[in-house]
Amino acid sequence: MSSKAAPEVTEADVRVGRRIRALRLERSLGLADVAQKAGISVGALSQIERGLSSLRVRVLWPLAAALDVEPHSLLIEGGEQESDLYCVRAANRRQVPVWSEGIKKELLSPPGAALTGLLVYVEPGGGTAESYAHAGHEFGLVRTGEVELTIDNVLYTLKAGDSFAFKSTLPHSFCNAGSQPCEIVWVNTVKPSEVRNGA
């Protein structure tokens, strides 16, 4: 009685699978959505994402089209990659749109992460126009400069090395009243698409 040997899992297949899953999560697409567009089964796509099945040439083009990328971008060469399931390279950080002047945000967390990590830059005089509140929790660490953070009508002046944490349902706002740019590592439980003025 013979049995089929389990398919050999290669590092390349695992990395390609992680790349495909990262691209899918970046676009907020489900397995069924991408599988249907690519003309393959959900099971087949799941196997590819987990590195249990190699990405066949006949699947490469329709899968790339389903993810709206060039086919070659699904194939990772060497150690360079734009998207990864677990890591974000410094050169590949994406900017998050903001509504207030003097604020810039870069997304630190990879696609699908439970937490949203941001690097928030606040220029002198920059800040949120008014207090706001939303669901979730947040934590931050001031890396450089100083920031005036108002939480539930209480003003805190925070300098480099200071940190904070609070429920996002409390009204909050922040501004840079100093003369130097401020940089904050800001972690939030909301999705990147929900992060606008503040974290």
Side-chain angles (χ1 to χ4, degrees):
M1 187 174 180
S2 62
S3 60
K4 288 185 177 180
E8 183 180 350
V9 178
T10 68
E11 183 182 350
D13 287 339
V14 170
R15 293 183 64 205
V16 168
R18 284 170 54 183
R19 167 82 168 131
I20 291 169
R21 183 160 186 246
L23 287 168
R24 177 173 64 79
L25 291 173
E26 278 181 358
R27 289 153 179 73
S28 300
L29 295 171
L31 276 168
D33 299 322
V34 176
Q36 182 179 17
K37 289 181 181 178
I40 60 176
S41 69
V42 172
L45 178 56
S46 176
Q47 293 265 0
I48 292 171
E49 286 193 357
R50 289 183 290 156
L52 301 178
S53 176
S54 297
L55 181 61
R56 308 290 181 194
V57 173
R58 64 180 178 80
V59 177
L60 178 63
W61 273 268
L63 190 53
L67 293 168
D68 195 27
V69 296
E70 293 297 320
H72 68 83
S73 69
L74 298 182
L75 305 174
I76 301 171
E77 297 182 3
E80 296 300 319
Q81 54 201 74
E82 291 181 9
S83 297
D84 188 271
L85 192 57
Y86 305 115
C87 303
V88 176
R89 308 291 177 182
N92 296 323
R93 291 181 195 149
R94 292 188 301 156
Q95 288 203 21
V96 176
V98 293
W99 295 329
S100 297
E101 293 293 327
I103 300 176
K104 184 179 82 168
K105 295 183 176 183
E106 294 180 352
L107 187 61
L108 299 176
S109 49
L115 299 173
T116 298
L118 299 164
L119 196 55
V120 180
Y121 302 92
V122 190
E123 295 296 326
T128 54
E130 56 188 21
S131 292
Y132 57 97
H134 51 85
H137 295 263
E138 41 206 290
F139 165 84
L141 170 68
V142 181
R143 293 183 64 189
T144 61
E146 63 179 65
V147 64
E148 290 186 351
L149 176 64
T150 302
I151 306 169
D152 202 18
N153 296 316
V154 178
L155 174 65
Y156 302 89
T157 301
L158 304 173
K159 299 183 179 181
D162 294 339
S163 56
F164 57 86
F166 58 91
K167 288 184 179 180
S168 307
T169 51
L170 296 172
H172 54 284
S173 63
F174 62 92
C175 69
N176 182 354
S179 59
Q180 301 297 321
C182 178
E183 185 179 285
I184 308 167
V185 174
W186 208 308
V187 181
N188 204 295
T189 57
V190 300
K191 296 177 182 178
S193 59
E194 298 169 336
V195 177
R196 296 298 180 187
N197 280 341

